[in-house]
Amino acid sequence: MSMMNIQMKLNAYIQQLQAPSSIWQDLPLRIKGPIVIALPLTILLLSLLSLYLHEKQAAILENKLRVALQNQRDIQAVHTQLVEASTGVRDYLLTGEKSFLNFYFQANQKLASTLSKLEAELEDEEQIARLSRIKPLVNQNLADLAKLASSNLEIDNTALVKQFSVQGKTLNNLRTLIEEMSTREAKLVADDQKQVNYERQRNINLTIISALAGILGTLASAWVFSRTIVKRVQLIRDSAAHLARGEALALPSISQDELGQLAHELDQAAQLLTNSMYEANLAKLQAQEANAEKSIFLSRTSHELRTPLNAILGFAHLLETDLADLKQKESLSMISAAGKHLLKLIDQVLDIARIESGDMQIDIQACDISTLLDEATHFMHPLAKARDIQIKTYYPPDLVIATDRQRLLQIVLNLISNALKYGPAHAKVYVQAYKKDDKVIIEIADEGKGIPKSMHHRVFTPFERLGAENTKVEGVGLGLALSNQMMAALGGEIHIASDKSLFQLTLPYKQLAETPEPAIDEPSTLNSISLRHQAKILYVEDNPSNRALIEAIIARNANFHLYAVSTIQEAKSFLVKSTPDIALIDLNLPDGSGVNLVEHIQNNAKHAHIPILILSADATPASIGRLKRMGIHEYFTKPLDIAAFNQTLNKLLNSIEKNERKADS
């Protein structure tokens, strides 16, 4: 029976010990948090208060020490000034030089202020008593010195010696008292220094104790925090990691505070979240596959559309140059215009697709706004002339910002083109630019009525022409949509006026360190250069129309001989037998990628010096960048810019001619 009573009491005692722990576990975090934080803060504040009080006492003692040290210096200064005054009068009487009296007068002035300062600062009763005895003696000594200084230099020596004797006796008494003051003040300084050292040592000890107390308090708080909060948070975190991997959860709820409730709710939500993650991952995979298919489609579409346009626009350009009949030239101009319009449409569709897929690359460089707008208005001059429209420009000559010049030029050209096409004929179009705060504003306006505010939300919708599709004005409604997305990519905005026909471009005002120098135009036709032999061009292309175009271009210069092949294997066979001066390669070949042929040429020591030109319908920035990083000389996209192609050939011809001259010399 007694054993049972003992067991019952023991169990009751254990329950009493566990009760506070259970109460603490169930306390809300809004109460636990302040308690855990307040414990080390309270210890820290009490320690800081104690340190402050002792530091204040130490500061008082240090100030007392500083005063004592200053008093010691002032006592020594009184002695020094008395000696200087006496020496100045004596030297005057011995030499007759009145300049020695300056020492007396200076010492006389300093003594009064020094004694007054000592009288104000002294706190020790003994020192105050000595100072009260010194002051009359100082006055007596100064009076004796004044009498000597004013006496006749021809006075009897006996009388002079008597006066010096009286003054010297007074000075000796002063010296005795001053030495006593110095000794006493030195003792006071030593006592003060001892007190300061003691207080400082006590502060160091107190700081160590406070630091230890703060560390112990922090450790205690950390232990409480870890036991009650951190471990449970870690459990929930680990459970969330399991949940992220789609694994089942089994969270125990050991308390009724917020963390316990969170664990319970997380456990309930686990299944729903797992299902949601599965659906999200599935949607992500589908989006990635769709984006990859979209990129492949864009690349193939670009290639298939640009390849025939290369022959159409290229031969049209050559025929316009060759034909003399005006009607035939007019027909060719219409063919070229239609082809360029189709090319513009293709580029706009592909640009919009690239922006939407995040593939559009922005090339930030220093851009002179005045030069850009001059170039844009120059391009638009033929269209303005056709409709009898004057383009008025207003912009400062030194407005330079950091942006993608080519993209901004494309946007400005589109807006000016719209103003010229849709605005009234026989009128004016206004182009102006200015800086406002941290923004650069470009405005394009015409004299038309503008776009009603009710239609503004439709302006930047692809293929939306706002009723212009019923007119004879050429267009498909992609320009503004593309311009708006490009402006967003450049960090700017397009605004439309409600009361007039005005579009406003707003760009952030950023600058680069240097402004690029304008490019120097070169001739767009092939030069006639006299070479010892024809320069050999190896052209690798399987499309007959593209081969015919390049053959027609090269045939116009006797310095070149074109060797055209259709496959990589044929090109390699040619390279075994001969070394061309230039290699012109298409990327899409029947037996592989032209990149493989580029690598073959660059890795062969015999052919590594050959400049490589790429002519491809793949106009994606990724392909162009990759080939340029490989070290090709130039990358041309289809349709071929014949003028730029001829400029490049001119440079290479000049290089070949220079090499021949060096060989001859």
Side-chain angles (χ1 to χ4, degrees):
M1 188 68 177
S2 60
M3 289 296 295
M4 292 181 61
N5 290 335
I6 293 173
Q7 185 65 38
M8 290 176 61
K9 289 181 179 180
L10 183 60
N11 291 337
Y13 179 69
I14 293 174
Q15 290 178 359
Q16 290 176 358
L17 291 177
Q18 291 177 345
S21 176
S22 177
I23 294 172
W24 173 258
Q25 288 286 354
D26 292 338
L27 280 177
L29 292 178
R30 64 178 181 275
I31 297 177
K32 290 180 184 176
I35 292 175
V36 171
I37 295 172
L39 178 61
L41 284 180
T42 302
I43 296 173
L44 179 62
L45 289 174
L46 291 175
S47 301
L48 290 176
L49 178 61
S50 178
L51 282 173
Y52 169 74
L53 294 175
H54 286 87
E55 281 292 333
K56 187 175 180 181
Q57 180 63 27
I60 293 173
L61 292 174
E62 287 182 348
N63 186 60
K64 185 178 177 182
L65 176 61
R66 283 194 294 270
V67 172
L69 289 171
Q70 183 61 46
N71 290 341
Q72 194 175 37
R73 289 191 291 269
D74 289 341
I75 290 169
Q76 188 62 38
V78 169
H79 179 265
T80 302
Q81 291 161 7
L82 286 171
V83 172
E84 288 179 354
S86 178
T87 303
V89 172
R90 182 188 61 192
D91 291 346
Y92 162 67
L93 292 175
L94 291 174
T95 63
E97 289 289 336
K98 289 188 176 182
S99 61
F100 287 112
L101 291 177
N102 291 334
F103 295 104
Y104 161 73
F105 293 125
Q106 292 174 3
N108 193 8
Q109 293 176 353
K110 293 178 180 179
L111 274 169
S113 61
T114 304
L115 290 171
S116 298
K117 186 176 178 183
L118 273 172
E119 189 175 12
E121 296 292 343
L122 287 175
E123 295 181 356
D124 184 68
E125 295 296 333
E126 292 184 23
Q127 294 291 73
I128 293 173
R130 288 191 181 92
L131 183 62
S132 63
R133 293 166 58 191
I134 287 174
K135 287 182 67 176
L137 292 175
V138 169
N139 293 334
Q140 179 62 42
N141 184 66
L142 292 175
D144 292 342
L145 289 174
K147 186 175 180 181
L148 288 170
S150 62
S151 61
N152 192 338
L153 294 175
E154 298 179 358
I155 189 172
D156 183 57
N157 288 337
T158 303
L160 188 61
V161 168
K162 183 178 181 180
Q163 292 180 11
F164 263 118
S165 176
V166 173
Q167 186 268 336
K169 184 177 180 180
T170 303
L171 183 60
N172 288 334
N173 292 335
L174 282 170
R175 283 174 175 168
T176 301
L177 290 172
I178 289 172
E179 286 177 0
E180 292 176 358
M181 283 192 74
S182 296
T183 302
R184 175 62 180 171
E185 199 65 32
K187 184 177 182 303
L188 293 174
V189 168
D191 292 342
D192 290 343
Q193 184 66 56
K194 186 177 180 181
Q195 290 183 0
V196 168
N197 292 337
Y198 171 77
E199 191 66 29
R200 281 297 175 199
Q201 186 60 46
R202 189 168 67 167
N203 286 350
I204 292 172
N205 296 337
L206 184 60
T207 301
I208 294 173
I209 294 171
S210 300
L212 291 174
I215 292 171
L216 291 175
T218 302
L219 291 175
S221 298
W223 181 82
V224 174
F225 187 75
S226 175
R227 291 280 297 176
T228 60
I229 298 176
V230 174
K231 285 188 176 180
R232 295 162 62 201
V233 171
Q234 289 174 345
L235 176 61
I236 294 175
R237 180 201 61 191
D238 294 340
S239 300
H242 288 292
L243 185 61
R245 294 192 293 268
E247 300 173 359
L249 299 182
L251 287 172
S253 181
I254 59 174
S255 67
Q256 299 300 319
D257 63 1
E258 290 87 344
L259 288 178
Q261 297 170 10
L262 176 61
H264 178 68
E265 293 172 0
L266 185 61
D267 193 30
Q268 288 183 337
Q271 188 60 42
L272 178 61
L273 187 56
T274 301
N275 294 337
S276 299
M277 290 178 62
Y278 173 77
E279 294 174 358
N281 288 332
L282 182 61
K284 181 180 179 181
L285 290 174
Q286 291 174 345
Q288 290 175 345
E289 291 175 359
N291 193 44
E293 292 176 358
K294 181 178 180 180
S295 299
I296 295 173
F297 170 76
L298 289 176
S299 178
R300 290 178 178 174
T301 301
S302 174
H303 181 273
E304 296 302 324
L305 293 175
R306 288 174 177 272
T307 298
L309 278 175
N310 184 51
I312 294 171
L313 293 176
F315 279 113
H317 176 83
L318 295 178
L319 287 172
E320 279 188 280
T321 305
D322 294 341
L323 292 177
D325 187 272
L326 294 179
K327 288 186 177 181
Q328 290 180 337
K329 275 195 171 186
E330 184 178 350
S331 299
L332 285 171
S333 297
M334 295 174 66
I335 294 174
S336 295
K340 290 176 182 177
H341 175 68
L342 180 58
L343 177 62
K344 181 180 179 182
L345 176 60
I346 294 169
D347 287 339
Q348 288 178 341
V349 172
L350 295 178
D351 281 340
I352 289 178
R354 289 192 190 102
I355 292 175
E356 291 176 347
S357 61
D359 292 335
M360 174 162 283
Q361 298 181 357
I362 301 299
D363 180 20
I364 300 299
Q365 57 181 295
C367 174
D368 188 327
I369 296 297
S370 61
T371 303
L372 181 141
L373 294 180
D374 285 340
E375 184 178 341
T377 53
H378 176 73
F379 285 155
M380 291 292 104
H381 180 71
L383 180 58
K385 185 177 180 181
R387 301 199 67 210
D388 189 24
I389 297 175
Q390 295 182 25
I391 301 178
K392 298 292 185 179
T393 58
Y394 307 92
Y395 35 81
D398 55 351
L399 188 57
V400 180
I401 64 172
T403 189
D404 188 320
R405 188 183 190 280
Q406 188 59 34
R407 300 298 181 189
L408 182 58
L409 177 61
Q410 187 176 349
I411 296 168
V412 171
L413 285 173
N414 181 66
L415 293 179
I416 296 177
S417 174
N418 285 351
L420 294 173
K421 290 191 298 182
Y422 297 107
H426 317 293
K428 296 177 182 177
V429 167
Y430 302 91
V431 180
Q432 65 172 335
Y434 55 90
K435 181 177 177 291
K436 183 178 181 181
D437 298 330
D438 59 345
K439 303 289 184 183
V440 171
I441 310 297
I442 301 174
E443 294 180 348
I444 294 95
D446 60 67
E447 295 180 341
K449 296 180 180 180
I451 301 172
K453 191 172 183 179
S454 60
M455 301 176 69
H456 283 189
H457 66 284
R458 297 164 51 192
V459 169
F460 301 117
T461 303
F463 302 103
E464 175 62 69
R465 298 193 65 197
L466 305 178
E469 64 272 12
N470 299 321
T471 67
K472 294 183 179 181
V473 179
E474 189 180 74
V476 292
L478 284 176
L480 288 177
L482 179 60
S483 297
N484 186 49
Q485 294 188 42
M486 282 185 177
M487 279 299 292
L490 296 178
E493 296 177 337
I494 299 182
H495 301 282
I496 311 170
S498 300
D499 56 344
K500 55 185 174 181
S501 181
L502 181 145
F503 280 79
Q504 185 183 79
L505 306 179
T506 304
L507 287 162
Y509 181 68
K510 300 177 184 176
Q511 287 185 304
L512 295 179
E514 297 181 357
T515 303
E517 297 181 358
I520 301 174
D521 291 335
E522 297 187 17
S524 60
T525 58
L526 294 177
N527 290 336
S528 178
I529 299 175
S530 177
L531 300 175
R532 289 181 302 174
H533 66 277
Q534 287 183 311
K536 292 183 288 187
I537 299 178
L538 172 61
Y539 181 35
V540 189
E541 170 65 76
D542 63 315
N543 185 279
S545 60
N546 288 332
R547 289 173 61 174
L549 174 62
I550 297 300
E551 288 172 352
I553 295 172
I554 299 302
R556 295 167 179 263
N557 190 282
N559 288 316
F560 285 113
H561 184 79
L562 187 70
Y563 296 87
V565 297
S566 301
T567 65
I568 296 175
Q569 190 58 43
E570 291 176 357
K572 290 180 178 180
S573 299
F574 178 86
L575 291 170
V576 172
K577 300 174 183 177
S578 179
T579 300
D581 297 290
I582 302 169
L584 179 62
I585 303 172
D586 182 28
L587 295 181
N588 189 19
L589 297 169
D591 55 347
S593 172
V595 176
N596 297 331
L597 181 58
V598 171
E599 293 175 343
H600 175 79
I601 294 173
Q602 292 177 335
N603 294 332
N604 189 313
K606 180 181 177 182
H607 301 135
H609 68 282
I610 300 174
I612 300 174
L613 309 179
I614 298 297
L615 176 56
S616 174
D618 185 354
T620 58
S623 297
I624 296 173
R626 180 163 58 95
L627 267 296
K628 286 190 174 181
R629 286 191 295 272
M630 289 179 63
I632 66 164
H633 186 80
E634 192 59 74
Y635 192 113
F636 293 101
T637 59
K638 300 173 183 177
L640 176 63
D641 184 341
I642 297 178
F645 183 66
N646 285 338
Q647 288 178 6
T648 301
L649 292 182
N650 277 336
K651 293 178 182 178
L652 294 175
L653 277 172
N654 291 331
S655 177
I656 294 170
E657 183 187 24
K658 289 178 182 178
N659 292 336
E660 288 187 353
R661 289 175 181 174
K662 287 181 181 179
D664 292 339
S665 61

